[in-house]
């Protein structure tokens, strides 16, 4: 166990279910102390990867290491990782306190000590004094916190979170995002979480791995995967993007490659403003306007290519108007081949 | 159903239902009544007089009651234990995994309770004959276990289906091996279902006649002893005393099982 070893290492890991390759040749290093997101659409293999780390699944090919130790073949109960389940999986026949103390009880920790530790863990997730409640009496957000305390009380080296915020309403979700980040920073434990919500992944994680069809298509910091997607899939999945065909990109000062252009980089102008030299432009007719609160999305048909621009709300553009779209040339990100 | 209780029921239906209930339960009342009759040779109605002496007679002067009673208790107890073990294992296997032929196997498990006892009895008897297994207490127990397993299996499988599979994974995630998970997570959740199934199994076995006649050798269980007694002309009310006893011994577990599973439904529902 060298001090340089990553928290979790996937070496060419595959997991098949029947003829389906749920995880297909994944290699990945997650560093100690990272808040790492596995992001992808449903069925992309991200949850299977999480279950491989937890030990609920075993790889058919390749190896998994957790802090330098071979994890293949090690059952879940002998791994120093804990999971927060999507549906929380709290034990319905136990009180909140018994739920949190379960892992310690199994390890044979004495009653007084485990009750004290469970109390601390509940205080950490802001549920002090909830020990004697029944889990059925709790709200969704509170159950989530109990699940978190139940996992963290064991002092895992890696905490796995499976769609941890999926069942919560928007306000609560934003609040829990903040709390999870704060908790992770203060504990310094490696968090690995699965989500299909790109906004959640971008706002919470230090690094993101984007999954598609069992493979990792891009790994990087939230800003790098957002600003420099390397494939059409990532450009589309992480945020929304105008994917420009090579001819269009080349004609507007980009490279002759598939190119991503983020809608918020495009400025919509109804007058014939002067176009700065560092910018590209296209003219067209507004075909759709979609009001989305903070922003308004404007779809403009420019010859063959429809472009979507995202502008601050309160624009005076109307459907059918002729407009000029202006964007900086550097906002066009060439994505190599067509993935 | 209870929501319709306020609606008036047609008179004809009420009469028919009352008649049906009386038809089912009056004979039971008669059994109780004749346990107290003074007339010992025939069941004369109305009884010429009432006495409690037959309870005393059964308790003190009829040593032939005790061996069949002990045998029945022994058979029911062992058959129930077997049913609890195998019924639970079968329910766990069939509810947790999907495989080809799962439904057929499930049907095969439940079949013994749907089959007439006489079929089960004949089948077991010829099977024991073919395998040259001498008839003994153990053949009776095996015969009873065939339908006892079904009751336990049915109760357990329903509870297993409601058991959230993630709970097992959560338990293992928190460091518990399979045995610890069974003890601390699965058993508390299916416990009442097993208790209920076990009690029903015990009650079924305790008063079983048909399968027993085919699978017993020289042994006499309590129900068989009672059948034999009915042919005798003397001290008939003693049989009724024993019948009352059997009634209580089997009714209590069935009532308990009913309340246990009903409570289980409620807690199961409220935790969702």
């Amino acid at each position: 166990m060298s001090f340089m070893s990553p928290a979790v290492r996937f070496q060419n890991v595959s997991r098949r279910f029947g003829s389906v390759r749920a995880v297909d040749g994944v290699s990945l290093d997650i560093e100690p102390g990272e808040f790492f997101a596995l992001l992808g659409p449903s069925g992309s293999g991200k949850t299977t990867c999480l279950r491989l780390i937890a030990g609920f699944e075993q790889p058919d090919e390749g190896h998994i290491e957790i802090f330098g130790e071979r994890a293949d073949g090690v059952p879940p109960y002998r791994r120093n990782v804990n999971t927060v389940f999507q549906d929380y999986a709290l034990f319905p026949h136990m009180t909140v306190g018994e739920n949190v103390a379960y892992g310690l009880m199994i390890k044979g920790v004495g009653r007084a000590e485990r009750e004290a530790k469970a109390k601390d863990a509940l205080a950490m997730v802001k549920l002090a004094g909830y020990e004697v409640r029944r889990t059925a009496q709790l709200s969704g957000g509170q159950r989530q916190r109990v699940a978190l305390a139940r996992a963290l009380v064991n002092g895992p080296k890696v905490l796995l979170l499976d769609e941890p915020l999926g069942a919560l309403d928007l306000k609560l979700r934003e609040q829990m995002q903040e709390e999870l980040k704060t908790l992770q920073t203060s504990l310094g434990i490696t968090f690995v979480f699965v989500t299909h919500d790109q906004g959640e992944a971008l706002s919470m994680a230090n690094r993101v791995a984007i999954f598609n069809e069992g493979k990792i298509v891009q790994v990087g910091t939230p800003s790098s995967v957002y600003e420099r997607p390397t494939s059409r899939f990532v450009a589309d999945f992480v945020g929304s993007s105008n994917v420009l065909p090579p001819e269009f990109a080349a004609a507007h000062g980009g490279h002759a490659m598939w190119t991503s252009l983020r809608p918020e980089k495009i400025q919509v102008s109804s007058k014939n403003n002067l176009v700065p030299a560092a910018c590209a432009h296209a003219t067209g007719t507004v075909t759709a306007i979609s009001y989305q609160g903070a922003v308004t999305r404007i779809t403009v048909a420019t010859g063959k290519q429809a472009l979507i621009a995202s502008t601050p709300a309160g624009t005076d553009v109307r459907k059918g108007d002729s407009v000029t779209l202006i964007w900086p040339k550097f906002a066009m990100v060439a994505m190599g081949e067509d993935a | 159903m209870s929501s319709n209780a306020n609606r008036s029921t047609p008179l004809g239906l009420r009469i028919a239902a009352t008649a049906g209930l009386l038809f089912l339960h009056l004979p039971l009342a008669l059994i109780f009544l004749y346990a107290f009759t003074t007339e010992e040779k025939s069941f004369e109605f109305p009884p010429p007089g009432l006495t409690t002496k037959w309870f005393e007679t059964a308790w003190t002067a009829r040593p032939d009651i005790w061996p069949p009673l002990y045998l029945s208790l022994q058979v029911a107890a062992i058959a129930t234990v077997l049913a609890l073990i195998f019924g639970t294992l079968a329910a766990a296997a069939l509810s947790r995994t999907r495989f080809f032929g799962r439904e057929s196997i499930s049907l095969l498990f439940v079949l013994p309770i749907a089959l007439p006892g006489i079929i089960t009895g004949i089948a077991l008897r010829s099977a024991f004959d073919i395998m040259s297994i001498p008839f003994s207490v153990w053949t009776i127990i095996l015969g009873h276990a065939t339908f006892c397993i079904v009751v336990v299996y049915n109760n357990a499988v329903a509870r297993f289906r409601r058991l959230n599979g993630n709970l097992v994974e959560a338990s293992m995630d928190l460091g518990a091996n399979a045995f610890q998970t069974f003890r601390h997570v699965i058993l508390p959740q299916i416990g009442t279902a097993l208790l209920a199934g076990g009690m029903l199994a015990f009650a079924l076995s305790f008063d079983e006649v048909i399968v027993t006649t085919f699978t017993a050798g020289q042994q006499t269980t309590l129900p068989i002893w009672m059948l034999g007694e009915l042919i005798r002309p003397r001290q008939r009310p003693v049989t009724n005393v024993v019948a009352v006893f059997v009634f209580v011994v089997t009714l209590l577990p069935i009532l308990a099982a009913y309340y246990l599973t009903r409570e289980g439904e409620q807690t199961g529902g409220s935790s969702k």
Side-chain angles (χ1 to χ4, degrees):
Chain A
M1 199 157 84
S2 89
F3 68 97
M4 290 295 287
S5 50
V8 178
R9 167 169 280 177
F10 276 57
Q11 286 178 311
N12 206 21
V13 171
S14 292
R15 176 76 177 109
R16 286 183 297 266
F17 298 113
S19 61
V20 181
R21 282 178 168 267
V23 173
D24 189 1
V26 164
S27 294
L28 176 67
D29 280 0
I30 299 174
E31 300 305 325
E34 268 195 304
F35 200 147
F36 197 93
L38 308 177
L39 173 66
S42 55
S44 61
K46 57 189 193 304
T47 301
T48 308
C49 273
L50 198 79
R51 294 173 58 81
L52 282 161
I53 304 173
F56 303 134
E57 305 285 349
Q58 298 289 345
D60 293 314
E61 286 160 30
H63 302 293
I64 296 173
E65 287 176 13
I66 297 172
F67 280 93
E69 287 180 79
R70 259 305 168 77
D72 342 338
V74 179
Y77 50 88
R78 289 211 207 99
R79 297 185 182 208
N80 204 352
V81 300
N82 287 112
T83 308
V84 175
F85 290 84
Q86 186 172 9
D87 64 355
Y88 318 134
L90 300 180
F91 304 124
H93 58 291
M94 297 182 193
T95 63
V96 168
E98 287 166 344
N99 262 283
V100 176
Y102 184 80
L104 300 173
M105 179 198 71
I106 293 295
K107 286 195 193 83
V109 175
R111 176 175 288 271
E113 189 186 343
R114 66 177 191 250
E115 279 178 358
K117 283 190 170 174
K119 201 177 161 201
D120 290 347
L122 280 169
M124 185 173 66
V125 296
K126 299 179 182 168
L127 284 181
Y130 277 67
E131 287 86 346
V132 295
R133 300 257 188 128
R134 290 261 144 202
T135 57
Q137 299 171 310
L138 302 181
S139 71
Q142 289 169 333
R143 285 179 200 204
Q144 158 105 73
R145 288 161 191 269
V146 175
L148 201 56
R150 186 178 68 173
L152 286 173
V153 77
N154 302 289
K157 285 182 169 172
V158 182
L159 183 75
L160 308 173
L161 303 111
D162 186 6
E163 302 265 2
L165 309 175
L168 306 180
D169 59 54
L170 183 64
K171 258 281 171 287
L172 205 53
R173 198 153 67 213
E174 287 172 350
Q175 188 191 337
M176 278 309 288
Q177 284 183 9
E178 280 309 311
E179 280 185 34
L180 278 176
K181 265 168 79 171
T182 315
L183 206 56
Q184 196 268 339
T185 316
S186 65
L187 294 171
I189 297 173
T190 312
F191 277 31
V192 180
F193 83 107
V194 158
T195 181
H196 63 267
D197 181 335
Q198 45 95 15
E200 200 170 287
L202 295 183
S203 69
M204 289 169 77
N206 304 127
R207 280 202 305 152
V208 182
I210 297 152
F211 282 75
N212 188 29
E213 293 176 346
K215 294 190 168 77
I216 292 182
V217 289
Q218 194 170 352
V219 185
T221 62
S223 66
S224 78
V225 296
Y226 186 80
E227 299 290 344
R228 291 186 298 283
T230 56
S231 61
R232 289 174 68 180
F233 176 80
V234 174
D236 261 345
F237 191 76
V238 182
S240 62
S241 192
N242 293 293
V243 175
L244 311 176
E247 315 83 64
F248 186 93
H252 290 80
H255 297 282
M257 288 197 266
W258 287 94
T259 295
S260 160
L261 176 61
R262 295 292 181 190
E264 68 274 13
K265 308 281 188 189
I266 303 178
Q267 208 188 325
V268 182
S269 170
S270 48
K271 301 159 211 108
N272 278 326
N273 283 356
L274 216 62
V275 178
C279 288
H281 74 283
T283 53
T285 314
V286 176
T287 57
I289 294 177
S290 157
Y291 177 75
Q292 297 187 328
V295 297
T296 302
R297 289 165 69 85
I298 302 170
T299 311
V300 178
T302 70
K304 279 187 229 164
Q305 184 68 27
L307 290 176
I308 293 170
S310 182
T311 63
T315 177
D316 52 1
V317 172
R318 285 165 193 238
K319 201 171 162 183
D321 284 1
S322 287
V323 292
T324 305
L325 302 176
I326 304 170
W327 65 91
K329 285 177 184 164
F330 66 78
M332 289 188 291
V333 179
M335 296 184 294
E337 30 63 74
D338 172 16
Chain B
M1 269 209 273
S2 56
S3 63
N4 290 345
N6 292 337
R7 239 179 265 171
S8 66
T9 319
L11 185 66
L13 184 60
R14 279 194 210 185
I15 292 171
T18 313
L21 280 174
L22 284 178
F23 179 76
L24 284 174
H25 290 107
L26 266 185
L28 281 178
L30 287 179
I31 284 186
F32 279 83
L33 183 64
Y34 283 121
F36 297 93
T37 182
T38 47
E39 160 58 56
E40 67 169 83
K41 290 202 182 61
S42 66
F43 290 141
E44 183 185 308
F45 191 85
L50 296 175
T51 172
T52 55
K53 77 167 179 179
W54 302 117
F55 285 84
E56 197 190 330
T57 311
W59 183 254
T60 56
R62 293 292 299 265
D64 59 317
I65 296 175
W66 303 105
L69 174 64
Y70 289 142
L71 181 69
S72 277
L73 287 174
Q74 184 194 356
V75 166
I78 299 176
T80 303
V81 169
L82 287 178
L84 281 173
I85 295 170
F86 292 109
T88 308
L89 288 177
L94 290 179
S95 61
R96 293 294 312 283
T97 46
R98 305 201 147 271
F99 54 90
F100 179 74
R102 190 181 82 143
E103 297 307 314
S104 318
I105 291 179
S106 181
L107 181 67
L108 284 178
F109 267 110
V110 184
L111 204 54
I113 208 148
L115 281 180
I118 198 154
I119 306 282
T120 311
I122 292 173
L124 283 170
R125 187 169 190 91
S126 52
F128 290 142
D129 268 341
I130 290 168
M131 292 186 281
S132 316
I133 297 172
F135 296 103
S136 66
V137 180
W138 288 101
T139 50
I140 305 177
I141 290 170
L142 279 182
H144 287 198
T146 57
F147 54 80
C148 287
I149 286 176
V150 181
V151 208
V152 174
Y153 169 82
N154 270 342
N155 270 282
V157 86
R159 196 63 68 85
F160 266 115
R161 290 214 170 115
R162 283 212 311 266
L163 189 74
N164 181 348
N166 276 349
L167 294 183
V168 172
E169 287 192 344
S171 172
M172 301 193 111
D173 188 73
L174 293 165
N177 59 28
F179 177 75
Q180 290 167 318
T181 298
F182 181 78
R183 183 172 154 223
H184 294 295
V185 175
I186 298 176
L187 199 55
Q189 309 249 5
I190 63 167
T192 50
L194 290 190
L195 195 57
M199 285 177 167
L200 279 176
F202 187 92
L204 274 182
S205 165
F206 191 75
D207 68 355
E208 214 285 336
V209 175
I210 303 172
V211 174
T212 315
T213 32
F214 282 92
T215 53
Q218 298 305 312
Q219 299 79 12
T220 306
T221 61
L222 199 60
I224 306 260
W225 174 88
M226 287 168 72
L227 267 183
E229 279 304 295
L230 287 179
I231 302 157
R232 284 213 217 159
R234 287 191 63 250
Q235 290 193 330
R236 275 192 169 169
V238 170
T239 318
N240 288 58
V241 169
V242 175
V244 169
F245 174 76
V246 171
F247 179 81
V248 172
V249 164
T250 53
L251 182 72
L252 288 183
I254 287 173
L255 274 181
Y258 171 72
Y259 281 106
L260 280 173
T261 42
R262 200 182 58 162
E263 188 187 321
E265 303 288 335
Q266 283 165 352
T267 50
S270 66
S271 70
K272 288 269 155 81

